[in-house]
Amino acid sequence: MKKHHIWLVAALLWCIIIFVITELPASTGSETKGILAFLFGLEGDALQTANYVMRKSVHLGSYGLMAFLFFMGLRRKRFLLAWLFTTIYACIDEWHQVYVPNRTGALGDVMIDSIGAFTVLTVIYLIIRTKAWIK
């Protein structure tokens, strides 16, 4: 198996992992809020803020990782296609959440996911440009 195929398999496995995690009751906002309250003793506005920041950070990181995996697996138009595939999957996942009990789909989450992908791809681009410039 070629190296880039392994990266594509990893990207698809990551998509499956996100799909499965979306189904878990522990991934709902109220559950993560309860975990944060228990672990850090937070309550009120501090708990709301921490829950929001944590959940959106997970979106950024998860979809940033997905974009990286797609980027590594693609051969042509890597930046564009990695961002596009990741954003399309974010749309699919949010649509999927509409049908999961105690979950909702949110366009804002798709935007955060897309920003996470874009950010990681921008960092990759800058690293590649820096390496080319140093040589």
Side-chain angles (χ1 to χ4, degrees):
M1 182 179 272
K2 293 184 179 181
K3 193 182 225 182
H4 70 277
H5 290 145
I6 293 170
W7 287 105
L8 286 175
V9 168
L12 294 175
L13 285 173
W14 190 240
C15 290
I16 292 168
I17 289 168
I18 288 174
F19 186 89
V20 169
I21 289 172
T22 297
E23 292 276 333
L24 297 175
S27 66
T28 64
S30 60
E31 288 294 321
T32 58
K33 192 186 298 183
I35 292 167
L36 288 172
F38 175 76
L39 289 176
F40 302 107
L42 298 173
E43 54 187 43
D45 288 344
L47 178 58
Q48 287 289 106
T49 301
N51 191 45
Y52 180 83
V53 169
M54 186 204 67
R55 293 180 63 77
K56 300 317 168 191
S57 296
V58 168
H59 274 270
L60 286 168
S62 297
Y63 285 86
L65 175 58
M66 184 183 295
F68 171 77
L69 295 171
F70 275 123
F71 175 83
M72 294 300 291
L74 296 167
R75 307 310 282 160
R76 290 180 167 69
K77 298 184 180 182
R78 297 166 78 181
F79 290 101
L80 175 63
L81 290 177
W83 176 81
L84 190 61
F85 291 162
T86 301
T87 301
I88 288 170
Y89 187 78
C91 292
I92 292 167
D93 186 53
E94 290 300 318
W95 176 68
H96 164 237
Q97 288 182 41
V98 170
Y99 301 100
V100 176
N102 301 316
R103 298 296 304 264
T104 58
L107 183 58
D109 284 348
V110 173
M111 292 182 350
I112 290 168
D113 300 338
S114 184
I115 290 167
F118 183 81
T119 301
V120 167
L121 293 168
T122 300
V123 169
I124 292 169
Y125 176 79
L126 293 172
I127 290 169
I128 291 170
R129 289 276 306 204
T130 302
K131 281 186 171 183
W133 181 72
I134 291 173
K135 288 182 181 180

